[in-house]
Structures are given as C-alpha cells and as structure tokens.
Amino acid sequence: MSDDTAAALSLLNAAAVRSRAERMLALGLDDRLPHFRIDLARLDEAADLVAATTRKNYPSLDVPFHSRGRHFVIGGLDHSQAIAEDLPDPKARARAAFDLAIISVLLDAGAGPQWRYRDPVTDGEFARSEGLALASCHMFIYGDFSARVKGPVRHDPVPRLRADGAALAELSAETLGRHFQVGRNNPLLGFEGRLELLRSLGRLVLARPDVFGREDTPRPGGFFDHLTAKADNGVIPAPLILSELLAQFGSIWPSRLTLGSVPLGDCWRHRSMVSSDATNGLVPLHKLSQW
C-alpha cells in the first residue's frame, strides 16, 4: 500500500471526522479562520433556544431517533410499513430496508424552492427532505427500483420490494421524473445529478457482487450481508459501519477528490488545516454517509 493510499484511508472513518472537526474548532477559537468567528459568549443563548424548542415539540422529552426512516412517517402513518408487513423473514426485511434507506438518502439533496410532492395516500403536499423521502419511498414500494417485477419472479415472494443493480443502472429519466412529479411547473433542482448518482450506484453494485451479492443478486441491500459477515459474536461496531460505507460506496460520487486512487467522498480542502502528510489541507465531513 502506498503512502498516499494509507493517508487516504486514514480519512475514511468517524475518528478522522471528529479529530479534524476539533482542530477546526481550535483554529476558530484562536481566531485563525479567515471567514468565521466563534463567540462562545453566545453558547448559553444557543443552548437555551435548543432546549426550549425541544421541550415545546417533545414535552415529555421522549425524542424519537433522528433518521431517514422518520421522514417516511407522516401524521402517524408509516409509508414504509409494507416492508415489515410483506417480508416476514428478518434478513429479507433488512435487505429491503437497506435498499430503501440507501437510495432515499442519495436522493436527499436540496430540492429547490419550487418543487413539491403530493402524497397520493394522504393527499398532503410536501417539500424538501420530507417530500423527497415520500417520493423515494413510494417509488420503492411500487417496484420501480426492482428488476424482478417485469422479469421472472423465481422464489422471490415480493419481487417489487427490492432495488436491483440492473434496474438502477438503467433507470430512466422518465420513470424517476414521473414518481417525483417533476414537470415544467414543478422543477426538481439537480434532477439529472440525482439520476446519474442512482445509475452510478447500480453500476457499482453490479461490479462488486462480492460485496453486494453475497446472498442475493447484486443490490444495495446486499450491504447488509457484507456487514453481518463482519460481526463478532453478533455485534457490529458503529465505527465499522461508517468506515465500510465510505470504503464501498465512495466511488459513486462524481468529481470529488481522490488520494492514492482512493475516492475521498465528502471531504473538502481548507487552507487552514495543516498536516505533515498527504492529507494536508483536507477536512472530512462524510455527512450523507453518517445520515
């Protein structure tokens, strides 16, 4: 392994995010950031605002987990419930949940000020992350990420509740646009970029059956089997999940930084981040992967 490759891999983990974030904070406290100032005198005020907002929305302080799955629940109705209801086998259910979560997160970027999604179940209208989540969830439930709906069903009891590498790689703009209700009067910002990201995901899945096709034909949900194979006595450390996400999915992102031929994903340059190795000037964030 080259020095550059080793340096790149050192940025693909949770510890690197935390370490470099702490260093950026230290630079800010030392007033050495060119565009930002940190005023700790305002910290108590900010904390009071967060506490008041939290208590207003959750008086019992029973705050639900912050996750993509929460966006599928509107007014007490879980739009992804079909996965649990129609797939009694826990491993099949996990693969389907992985399929949906990965695709939905990749589709979750700024939608723009005009785009809206009208939910066909509740007839409610939603924008931003909530609308994108519902659109992706319904598209998944309807089977438009599945290669088995139109092909042979084989032994798959619910052929629509899956995302296949082949279907993603060949996903059409018409299909994605129809489900996301995109039109002249309802433009979705970055539509082509979202489409290409899903196609790239499909190509990656097809190219790596050793990772994504261990127990099934290649699909993003095959990452579940890849992770469970690394479990030790039924336990998978959370940092390992993130590092594997970064290692296995990094190549799908377009026009991003690479080091030692390793895609760095959500990692950016900042001139104030000084290091003595090849990671000089690099600050990893890995926001979507953690999401």
Side-chain angles (χ1 to χ4, degrees):
M1 181 186 299
S2 70
D3 290 344
D4 281 0
T5 299
L9 295 177
S10 75
L11 297 175
L12 302 184
N13 54 76
V17 174
R18 178 168 295 181
S19 173
R20 301 232 164 175
E22 289 176 345
R23 289 176 59 187
M24 290 297 292
L25 174 60
L27 288 168
L29 293 173
D30 201 29
D31 201 21
R32 294 168 58 192
L33 294 179
H35 303 296
F36 294 91
R37 297 291 179 269
I38 299 176
D39 182 2
L40 291 184
R42 304 294 298 278
L43 185 59
D44 286 348
E45 181 182 349
D48 289 342
L49 175 61
V50 171
T53 303
T54 302
R55 290 184 181 280
K56 178 181 178 181
N57 289 281
Y58 305 100
S60 67
L61 296 184
D62 184 17
V63 183
F65 285 112
H66 180 62
S67 69
R68 187 55 167 169
R70 292 292 304 166
H71 280 149
F72 301 142
V73 181
I74 302 294
L77 174 64
D78 185 352
H79 290 252
S80 66
Q81 190 62 30
I83 293 176
E85 293 176 347
D86 296 349
L87 296 174
D89 176 70
K91 291 185 177 180
R93 194 161 61 244
R95 293 183 193 108
F98 270 51
D99 280 337
L100 175 58
I102 291 168
I103 288 171
S104 188
V105 167
L106 292 181
L107 287 166
D108 188 17
Q114 293 180 266
W115 183 79
R116 297 291 186 275
Y117 178 74
R118 183 165 293 281
D119 175 20
V121 177
T122 65
D123 201 38
E125 189 174 88
F126 303 90
R128 305 173 65 181
S129 286
E130 290 77 8
L132 293 168
L134 286 179
S136 61
C137 183
H138 290 151
M139 186 172 177
F140 179 80
I141 298 298
Y142 294 154
D144 275 296
F145 293 119
S146 171
R148 297 191 179 185
V149 170
K150 297 180 181 179
V153 173
R154 303 178 196 172
H155 300 294
D156 196 340
V158 188
R160 61 187 173 83
L161 293 180
R162 58 184 296 120
D164 290 288
L168 290 167
E170 299 176 0
L171 184 64
S172 71
E174 188 277 330
T175 299
L176 186 65
R178 171 166 46 84
H179 278 282
F180 279 71
Q181 302 172 359
V182 176
R184 179 175 298 178
N185 297 321
N186 195 36
L188 176 59
L189 186 67
F191 176 81
E192 291 297 332
R194 296 170 207 266
L195 176 62
E196 181 52 36
L197 192 57
L198 292 185
R199 288 173 175 171
S200 182
L201 172 65
R203 293 191 293 266
L204 168 69
V205 166
L206 291 173
R208 295 297 308 275
D210 56 314
V211 174
F212 299 102
R214 298 170 67 105
E215 302 293 337
D216 198 348
T217 50
R219 58 190 290 193
F223 188 62
F224 162 77
D225 300 299
H226 175 75
L227 283 180
T228 55
K230 295 181 175 295
D232 183 9
N233 292 322
V235 176
I236 306 174
L240 176 63
I241 296 175
L242 179 61
S243 62
E244 284 296 320
L245 274 169
L246 296 173
Q248 304 304 335
F249 290 93
S251 63
I252 70 174
W253 302 103
S255 304
R256 293 289 175 85
L257 297 173
T258 61
L259 179 61
S261 299
V262 176
L264 297 181
D266 188 13
C267 186
W268 305 91
R269 295 195 180 278
H270 196 291
R271 65 189 185 191
S272 299
M273 181 58 63
V274 178
S275 299
S276 60
D277 62 4
T279 66
N280 182 56
L282 295 174
V283 181
L285 301 177
H286 305 314
K287 176 181 179 290
L288 281 181
S289 297
Q290 294 185 73
W291 181 217

